[in-house]
């Protein structure tokens, strides 16, 4: 009897020892797994941050390039403008009889340049918008876009025809007007012509100031919109981070409860076994 008792105690001790070893190994594996997961998550986070940083830098570089290009164009345009003005003044000095014709020619060329400039700007903007929205378009949107494009083409053709007719009418009127002015030119006095020229210069200056003001307002709106977008993005990232944190906490609590449940079950089994023995 004494021997049996001793043997049973040894068996219990052996069993407990093995059980403890299993639990220790299990905890160790769990810890290693968690550590590995944490390391992987940190790596992904760092990679993401690096990617975002690179993208930001790239965008900044592109903005700077566009800015430089725009400034260069502006300078070139100003230079050409100054050269034209100088040529115009020289011609005016040496060709008094053709002064009115030269002014008309200069204005016409200026209008053409502005029209071409607006056209280029519009085409550039159109191209950029097309490129940006190309990825987002589904099949339905593409069909819709195609129909819209078709309607716009017809509309544009109609507008072009209207402009063409208007231009021809204007051209005819201008020719008549110039003929009339030519006839009246002999009767006009020297100071009258000078006053007309000054008036045109003043109008031109006013137009330039108006365009400058509009441009400044447009830039202010753009900056305001960019700031708003940045704040929204920041808010969204913060919310996302909080959600991830909450999910992680819930997951951990769930695991903890499951582990405690399994532990209790094992203890109950062990107690029953012990009682039975």
């Amino acid at each position: 009897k004494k021997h049996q008792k001793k043997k049973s105690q040894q068996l219990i001790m052996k069993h407990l020892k093995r059980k403890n070893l299993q639990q220790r190994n299990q905890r160790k594996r769990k810890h290693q797994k968690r550590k590995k997961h944490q390391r992987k998550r940190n790596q992904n986070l760092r990679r993401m941050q690096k990617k975002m940083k690179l993208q930001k830098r790239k965008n900044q570089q592109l903005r700077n390039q566009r800015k430089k290009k725009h400034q260069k164009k502006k300078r070139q345009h100003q230079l050409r403008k100054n050269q034209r003005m100088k040529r115009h003044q020289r011609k005016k000095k040496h060709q008094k009889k053709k002064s009115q014709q030269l002014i008309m020619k200069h204005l016409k060329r200026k209008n053409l340049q502005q029209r071409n400039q607006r056209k280029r700007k519009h085409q550039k903007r159109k191209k950029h918008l097309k490129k940006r929205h190309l990825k987002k378009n589904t099949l339905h949107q593409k069909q819709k876009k195609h129909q819209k494009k078709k309607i716009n083409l017809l509309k544009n053709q109609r507008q072009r025809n209207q402009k063409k007719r208007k231009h021809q009418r204007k051209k005819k009127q201008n020719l008549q007007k110039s003929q009339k002015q030519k006839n009246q030119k002999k009767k006009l006095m020297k100071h009258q012509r000078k006053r007309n020229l000054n008036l045109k210069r003043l109008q031109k200056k006013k137009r330039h100031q108006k365009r400058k003001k509009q441009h400044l307002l447009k830039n202010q709106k753009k900056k305001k919109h960019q700031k708003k977008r940045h704040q929204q993005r920041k808010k969204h990232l913060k919310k996302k981070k909080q959600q991830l944190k909450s999910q992680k906490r819930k997951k951990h609590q769930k695991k903890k409860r499951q582990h405690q449940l399994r532990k209790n079950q094992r203890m109950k089994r062990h107690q029953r076994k012990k009682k039975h023995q």
Side-chain angles (χ1 to χ4, degrees), residues 8 11-12 272-277:
S8 68
L11 279 165
I12 287 160
R272 281 200 300 275
K273 203 171 183 183
K274 192 179 176 185
K275 197 176 178 183
H276 178 67
Q277 283 178 345

Side-chain angles (χ1 to χ4, degrees), residues 243-263:
Q243 283 175 349
L244 283 166
K245 206 174 180 181
S246 175
Q247 283 174 358
K248 188 183 169 185
R249 191 172 65 250
K250 281 175 185 176
K251 198 178 178 183
H252 176 68
Q253 285 172 348
K254 193 183 175 185
K255 277 188 177 182
K256 204 174 178 183
R257 283 198 300 274
Q258 287 174 346
H259 175 70
Q260 190 63 43
L261 188 70
R262 284 198 295 274
K263 193 178 176 183

Side-chain angles (χ1 to χ4, degrees), residues 42-55:
N42 288 340
Q43 281 176 349
N44 287 337
L45 189 70
R46 278 196 298 274
R47 203 181 291 120
M48 194 73 180
Q49 284 171 344
K50 195 178 178 183
K51 199 177 179 182
M52 277 173 81
K53 202 176 179 182
L54 279 166
Q55 189 65 39

Side-chain angles (χ1 to χ4, degrees), residues 102-232:
L102 279 169
I103 289 160
M104 288 297 286
K105 193 180 177 183
H106 172 71
L107 285 168
K108 201 176 178 182
R109 187 166 67 241
K110 190 76 183 169
N111 290 334
L112 183 67
Q113 280 179 349
Q114 286 173 346
R115 196 158 59 244
N116 289 336
Q117 203 174 2
R118 284 197 297 274
K119 199 177 177 183
R120 280 197 298 275
K121 200 177 177 183
H122 174 69
Q123 284 172 343
K124 196 178 178 183
R125 183 173 156 76
K126 201 175 175 184
K127 193 180 176 183
H128 174 67
L129 285 168
K130 194 179 177 184
K131 199 175 180 182
R132 196 173 67 187
H133 292 297
L134 197 66
K135 291 177 184 177
K136 294 178 185 177
N137 288 339
T138 56
L139 184 68
H140 174 67
Q141 284 171 333
K142 277 181 183 176
Q143 287 170 350
K144 202 174 177 183
K145 197 177 176 184
H146 179 68
Q147 286 173 347
K148 200 177 177 182
K149 198 177 177 184
K150 208 173 179 181
I151 291 160
N152 282 338
L153 277 166
L154 288 165
K155 196 180 175 182
N156 290 339
Q157 187 64 46
R158 201 158 55 243
Q159 284 175 346
R160 274 199 298 276
N161 290 337
Q162 283 175 350
K163 276 182 183 177
K164 200 176 177 183
R165 283 197 294 274
K166 196 180 177 182
H167 175 70
Q168 285 172 345
R169 194 161 61 246
K170 205 171 181 182
K171 198 177 176 183
K172 197 178 177 182
Q173 284 173 354
N174 283 340
L175 279 165
Q176 286 172 351
K177 199 178 178 182
S178 66
Q179 191 66 42
K180 199 178 177 182
Q181 282 174 346
K182 208 173 181 181
N183 293 332
Q184 285 175 346
K185 195 181 171 185
K186 291 170 187 178
K187 296 170 188 178
L188 284 171
M189 287 167 75
K190 193 179 178 181
H191 72 276
Q192 186 68 38
R193 286 201 303 273
K194 199 173 182 181
R195 198 171 68 182
N196 288 341
L197 283 171
N198 288 336
L199 187 69
K200 278 181 182 179
R201 277 197 206 98
L202 190 70
Q203 286 172 347
K204 194 178 177 183
K205 196 177 180 182
K206 278 181 183 176
R207 282 200 301 273
H208 176 70
Q209 284 172 344
K210 194 182 175 183
R211 278 201 300 275
K212 200 175 179 182
K213 200 177 178 182
Q214 285 173 346
H215 185 67
L216 282 166
L217 280 167
K218 197 180 176 183
N219 281 347
Q220 283 174 353
K221 278 182 186 177
K222 198 178 178 182
K223 278 176 186 174
K224 198 178 177 184
H225 180 64
Q226 282 174 343
K227 194 180 178 183
K228 197 178 176 183
R229 270 176 67 191
H230 177 68
Q231 285 172 346
Q232 284 174 346

